[in-house]
Amino acid sequence: MSDHEQQQSAPGGGKVLEALARAERKVFTRPAPKSAKAQVKFLLTRTKDSARHLADRLGVSTRTVERYRTGKLTKPQKRLQAALVEATESEWQPQVRAQAREQAATSGGMMVHVVAYFGFTASGSSDDGRERHVTTAISPTYAAQILQLQEDGATEEELHPIVAEAITESYFTDWGTRCHGLVADFAHVQSIEFEF
């Protein structure tokens, strides 16, 4: 099998999972390695120099990993490049990411910017469901739940209800001071961004 055939894409998440990953990247204090050679060298330090382990993670051969380590190959195909970026950024500055997550979960909460279709159920009347642009703060309690679900490997479908509940609490019910009993759910997420 050729190197070309062996290069596979990294597993994709969903819009909420990708937004959480982007939020973590924004807190980096130094840029992550950019070149394929630097990314492979960094990732090998994280795998205790196990080229086999790294090759399995990236979906390529050990020989391909060695070629990037030595600089014989320098320009990975799009799928391998995406896998290298994803793997590098998921391992980059773990203490900085952990501090940002801890602060969000204990005191700071998070901001969320979302464009999605929101539907409602409530006792009484409510606005009909429609696409909305919402920017609101999420309390540390909900931030902790969302981050814990992400860490536990939750799927996109498992994250949607808790994110919708967090947005409902802060945006639609104003922290429980109005619209008692309102439940909002979102679907057809156009875009979503989180900020720690």
Side-chain angles (χ1 to χ4, degrees), residues 7-11 25 32-44 54-55 57-60 64-65 68-69 73-92:
Q7 294 181 358
Q8 300 173 10
S9 63
R25 290 181 197 123
K34 298 291 184 211
S35 73
K37 181 178 180 179
Q39 289 168 335
V40 166
K41 284 186 173 186
F42 168 73
L43 290 170
L44 284 168
L54 180 57
R57 182 175 178 184
L58 298 173
V60 297
T64 300
V65 168
Y68 281 106
R69 179 201 316 235
L73 292 177
T74 57
K75 298 212 184 253
Q77 293 179 353
K78 288 181 184 178
R79 287 181 277 166
L80 178 56
Q81 181 60 42
L84 283 168
V85 169
E86 161 66 30
T88 300
E89 290 182 349
S90 71
E91 299 281 340
W92 190 248

Side-chain angles (χ1 to χ4, degrees), residues 132-152:
R132 294 176 184 256
H133 298 250
V134 174
T135 298
T136 190
I138 293 178
S139 71
T141 303
Y142 280 111
Q145 291 175 14
I146 292 166
L147 294 171
Q148 187 61 52
L149 283 170
Q150 177 201 24
E151 192 173 304
D152 293 343

Side-chain angles (χ1 to χ4, degrees), residues 107-181:
S107 62
M110 294 188 296
M111 288 295 293
V112 63
H113 312 280
V114 64
V115 178
Y117 180 88
F118 283 88
F120 304 95
T121 57
S123 55
S125 64
S126 173
D127 288 343
D128 289 333
R130 64 177 184 263
E131 183 176 284
R132 294 176 184 256
H133 298 250
V134 174
T135 298
T136 190
I138 293 178
S139 71
T141 303
Y142 280 111
Q145 291 175 14
I146 292 166
L147 294 171
Q148 187 61 52
L149 283 170
Q150 177 201 24
E151 192 173 304
D152 293 343
T155 64
E156 189 78 2
E157 293 75 28
E158 293 169 334
L159 283 167
H160 272 224
I162 193 70
V163 173
E165 191 176 318
I167 293 169
T168 300
E169 179 194 43
S170 66
Y171 185 80
F172 295 111
T173 67
D174 198 20
W175 307 103
T177 61
R178 60 186 173 93
C179 303
H180 298 287

